[in-house]
Amino acid sequence: MIFLGRYKNRRELKAEAKELLSGRWKDAILLNMIPVLLTIIVMAISLSVLAVLIKELMIEPASYAPPADNSGSGSTITGIVSAFLTIGISYTFLDWLRNPEMQIRPFKQAFQVFTKKYFLGTLLVYIFTAIFTILWTLLLVVPGIIKTFSYSQAYFIFKDRKSFSEDEKVSALGCITESRKMMDGHKWEYFVLQLSFIGWGILSVLSFGIGFIWLNPYMNATLAAFYKNLTENDGYDESVEVF
């Protein structure tokens, strides 16, 4: 499929996101609240465990033996789960942009990455992009940041590849390579687009995080619109390396 058109600037991309969200902010907010609720639950459990440990230490200080510290692994797992939820939300926004009338089922769609269709491929993209970014960052910080922008569309590409052929195993490395090619000449635009949200981010922090309830859906919709715009103008080659 090849689409010919004009690249939208950041104002047009944001306007597209706002138009999508207009009248449906409730759906968008509920969708984006899933990772927040997960974080709150994990924090509540951690505080409860900490309170129990402190109580036991106060009651039997002499015989108490502290358990092994598993906080690092717990934080890592929580971070990966939150990242996968965010990716699932991004997938939903891309589908929503392509079909503005689609019905939003927040819980189901936020967890879609954990389905058989997406899980393994998304995990491989996550692992490979992390490895490549770390290796580039070991050279210098700036190349690592640039590569982060280069690989930024890999998840969307993987999603589209699975939509074209659900039964085939799409190569994670192929999606990363295609993202790097797709972002040639567009990394600065992507950087400026993300930078344009910094003012809203500051206001959200000053509002004790309340502003993020609206900012996160707005950003996710805009970034999905960025990818959608790239595919509509660069064309979309359905052939991809599979393993």
Side-chain angles (χ1 to χ4, degrees):
M1 295 187 299
I2 297 179
F3 303 90
L4 300 177
R6 177 182 64 84
Y7 290 113
K8 296 179 180 179
N9 59 41
R10 65 179 182 275
R11 290 187 180 86
E12 291 172 315
L13 293 173
K14 287 184 171 182
E16 184 177 0
K18 290 177 182 177
E19 182 179 358
L20 179 73
L21 297 172
S22 178
R24 300 192 64 182
W25 277 100
K26 179 181 177 181
D27 288 334
I29 289 172
L30 289 176
L31 178 65
N32 281 264
M33 283 297 291
I34 302 297
V36 177
L37 292 175
L38 174 66
T39 302
I40 292 173
I41 291 171
V42 171
M43 289 180 62
I45 293 174
S46 300
L47 290 174
S48 299
V49 172
L50 180 62
V52 171
L53 293 178
I54 292 174
K55 182 178 179 181
E56 291 182 359
L57 181 60
M58 293 177 65
I59 294 175
E60 300 179 12
S63 61
Y64 177 75
D69 183 9
N70 295 317
S71 58
S73 59
S75 299
T76 301
I77 294 173
T78 303
I80 293 174
V81 172
S82 296
F84 277 25
L85 288 173
T86 301
I87 294 167
I89 291 168
S90 298
Y91 288 175
T92 303
F93 273 106
L94 181 60
D95 289 335
W96 193 358
L97 282 163
R98 290 170 172 169
N99 178 20
E101 303 301 321
M102 73 174 284
Q103 183 177 358
I104 301 300
R105 298 181 177 89
F107 191 85
K108 178 180 179 180
Q109 290 160 334
F111 281 90
Q112 64 180 299
V113 170
F114 295 93
T115 61
K116 180 181 179 181
K117 178 179 179 179
Y118 291 125
F119 181 75
L120 180 59
T122 302
L123 178 62
L124 290 175
V125 172
Y126 181 90
I127 292 172
F128 286 135
T129 52
I131 291 173
F132 295 155
T133 302
I134 290 171
L135 291 177
W136 278 102
T137 304
L138 289 176
L139 297 177
L140 284 172
V141 175
V142 173
I145 295 174
I146 292 174
K147 287 301 176 181
T148 299
F149 296 149
S150 294
Y151 305 148
S152 61
Q153 309 305 305
Y155 294 109
F156 284 131
I157 292 170
F158 170 74
K159 181 204 180 313
D160 274 342
R161 295 308 190 192
K162 291 300 291 184
S163 297
F164 286 138
S165 183
E166 185 173 341
D167 295 330
E168 290 185 351
K169 293 183 178 179
V170 179
S171 169
L173 291 175
C175 292
I176 293 170
T177 299
E178 188 173 348
S179 175
R180 179 176 53 79
K181 294 178 180 178
M182 179 181 286
M183 289 298 287
D184 282 346
H186 299 290
K187 290 186 284 292
W188 177 253
E189 299 168 27
Y190 189 74
F191 170 71
V192 173
L193 179 62
Q194 291 195 320
L195 195 64
S196 67
F197 289 102
I198 192 168
W200 293 110
I202 293 172
L203 290 176
S204 297
V205 171
L206 293 177
S207 67
F208 301 99
I210 296 175
F212 286 109
I213 294 175
W214 291 273
L215 179 58
N216 287 342
Y218 182 28
M219 285 188 63
N220 284 328
T222 304
L223 296 179
F226 178 87
Y227 169 78
K228 174 175 170 285
N229 184 239
L230 287 182
T231 61
E232 290 174 347
N233 287 278
D234 286 346
Y236 199 41
D237 179 8
E238 293 187 19
S239 62
V240 68
E241 174 190 357
V242 296
F243 54 77

